[in-house]
Amino acid sequence: MASTVAMLAVALFVTSATSGGIGVQAQPLVPAVISFGDSTIDVGNNNYLPRAVFKADYPPYGQSFARHQATGRFSDGKIVTDITAETLGFESYALPYLSPQASGKNLLLGANFASAASSYHDDTAAMYDAITLTQQLKYYKEYQSKLAAVAGRAKARSILSDALYVVSTGTGDFLQNYYHNASLSRRYNIGQYSDLLVGIFSNFASELYKLGARRIGVTSMPPLGCLPASIRLYGEGRDACVARLNRDAETFNVKLNATIKALKGRHADLKIAILDIYTPLRKLAEAPAEQGFADARGTCCRTGTAKTRVYLCNPTTAGTCRNASSYVFFDGVHPSEAANAFMAESMVEAGIELVT
């Protein structure tokens, strides 16, 4: 990420590290990163859920990651929060909260509660045996107690108030629920459904605020119509982004933006921002060559052909592309590490105000 944004983040990192005098050990811009959401930032929680429908615990997931191992991340390598954490100065990542290793001093880096197929609406998560957002919040409260036991109450409070909180979810509410749930789509039009979802986010963010969070970043809805699985399922045979689905994402994002402004007005000491992934991912999907990508319609790994498998790499088919970094999408809905790096740059730009 050799960009102005990345260099600014590094400069801030160095300044905060050296302000105490020569010889002070460098410290990240924030003490911890705490993540909530779905498969976009799940780092392996679903590996510990026996009945979870969506898992990335098998090859070719992780083929570009450390030791070329599948960790539960839905990509060939790093996801956006990994890259963002590195930009903020972290040398390692917060562990999945359900991992036995998420204990002791490892908790000082933060925690990751995300679960593939989770979403804003708990009903969506329950359909796929994922950790609901409500349960993720309960785990966070449990984490607070564990952190206090490790660091002491005062230090824990300081870590929690200065930590960066990332919320990335909602895609499943549309792709895995609304679009094929006739009773839901009859009950709500897109505007009403978006209102329902952003209302859930508003309550979630307010609860985090009550529990001590002061820096919250929430990702925008991605361009739903440009995901390979969406084009396959809803594109009616055309090899192009599905305009209707992108408009739905834009409707949600407008309402999310209004909600962010309302939360800012309600809490003067709350730093909260939208981390835009819609714009960079749509740019990659519609003009991949301009950013050095060769393919934005196909997927690096071979996906399945039925039901949920249309979204993920087919575990029975070993074939993948030669060079994942030339593909925007690794599977039917998740970007490659190279695309994640491009999006992370946009996220850092939007999130600078959260960490300064």
Side-chain angles (χ1 to χ4, degrees):
M1 287 171 54
S3 67
T4 303
V5 171
M7 289 189 288
L8 174 59
V10 171
L12 289 167
F13 162 49
V14 172
T15 300
S16 66
T18 58
S19 59
I22 297 173
V24 175
Q25 186 176 359
Q27 296 293 321
L29 281 172
V30 294
V33 177
I34 299 170
S35 306
F36 303 87
D38 60 17
S39 59
T40 54
I41 54 173
D42 185 354
V43 294
N45 279 310
N46 275 26
N47 293 354
Y48 301 94
L49 301 176
R51 296 172 57 195
V53 173
F54 292 102
K55 294 186 181 183
D57 58 352
Y58 57 90
Y61 290 111
Q63 66 179 24
S64 305
F65 201 68
R67 296 189 294 278
H68 310 291
Q69 291 181 343
T71 62
R73 288 167 169 81
F74 289 77
S75 183
D76 62 298
K78 297 171 187 174
I79 56 176
V80 286
T81 45
D82 295 331
I83 298 162
T84 300
E86 289 175 358
T87 305
L88 294 175
F90 287 91
E91 295 181 356
S92 56
Y93 317 120
L95 295 166
Y97 186 69
L98 297 186
S99 165
Q101 282 73 47
S103 61
K105 291 185 177 180
N106 286 338
L107 297 176
L108 297 174
L109 289 173
N112 184 299
F113 305 99
S115 173
S118 187
S119 218
Y120 285 115
H121 205 299
D122 282 357
D123 285 356
T124 303
M127 289 165 60
Y128 299 93
D129 288 306
I131 307 170
T132 64
L133 204 57
T134 298
Q135 181 60 48
Q136 289 183 36
L137 190 63
K138 289 179 181 177
Y139 280 144
Y140 171 65
K141 293 175 183 177
E142 183 180 274
Y143 165 75
Q144 287 188 314
S145 299
K146 290 181 178 180
L147 184 64
V150 173
R153 288 177 182 268
K155 179 65 174 174
R157 277 197 300 272
S158 175
I159 290 172
L160 293 169
S161 64
D162 289 336
L164 174 63
Y165 293 76
V166 179
V167 182
S168 180
T169 194
T171 301
D173 282 317
F174 290 92
L175 293 187
Q176 291 143 230
N177 198 353
Y178 186 83
Y179 291 143
H180 62 80
N181 186 336
S183 64
L184 196 61
S185 56
R186 277 197 301 267
R187 200 155 65 245
Y188 303 99
N189 62 33
I190 283 295
Q192 293 166 335
Y193 189 57
S194 296
D195 284 334
L196 173 69
L197 300 180
V198 297
I200 292 170
F201 167 73
S202 180
N203 292 336
F204 183 78
S206 296
E207 191 63 26
L208 282 180
Y209 177 83
K210 289 177 189 174
L211 293 169
R214 293 298 181 268
R215 307 169 191 260
I216 303 173
V218 56
T219 59
S220 61
M221 190 66 63
L224 297 171
C226 292
L227 307 179
S230 296
I231 294 172
R232 185 170 173 180
L233 292 170
Y234 307 107
E236 298 177 349
R238 290 190 290 272
D239 188 28
C241 294
V242 185
R244 172 176 62 88
L245 271 59
N246 281 349
R247 286 195 298 271
D248 293 347
E250 290 165 4
T251 296
F252 175 90
N253 289 338
V254 167
K255 292 177 181 295
L256 182 63
N257 188 58
T259 298
I260 294 296
K261 289 180 180 178
L263 286 166
K264 281 182 177 178
R266 202 176 306 151
H267 307 294
D269 59 340
L270 174 63
K271 292 183 176 183
I272 186 167
I274 293 178
L275 307 176
D276 180 25
I277 59 173
Y278 180 93
T279 303
L281 189 54
R282 183 164 182 178
K283 188 180 295 183
L284 288 181
E286 295 184 336
E290 291 181 10
Q291 305 302 328
F293 290 82
D295 196 320
R297 289 291 174 268
T299 60
C300 179
C301 73
R302 295 181 186 174
T303 57
T305 56
K307 298 183 179 178
T308 58
R309 286 299 174 193
V310 71
Y311 302 113
L312 303 184
C313 297
N314 190 336
T316 63
T317 307
T320 59
C321 64
R322 276 187 173 181
N323 181 13
S325 65
S326 67
Y327 279 71
V328 173
F329 293 97
F330 188 66
D331 65 14
V333 291
H334 301 105
S336 64
E337 178 182 306
N340 281 329
F342 182 80
M343 289 191 294
E345 187 168 330
S346 177
M347 286 178 65
V348 170
E349 183 174 13
I352 284 293
E353 65 182 273
L354 299 176
V355 298
T356 57

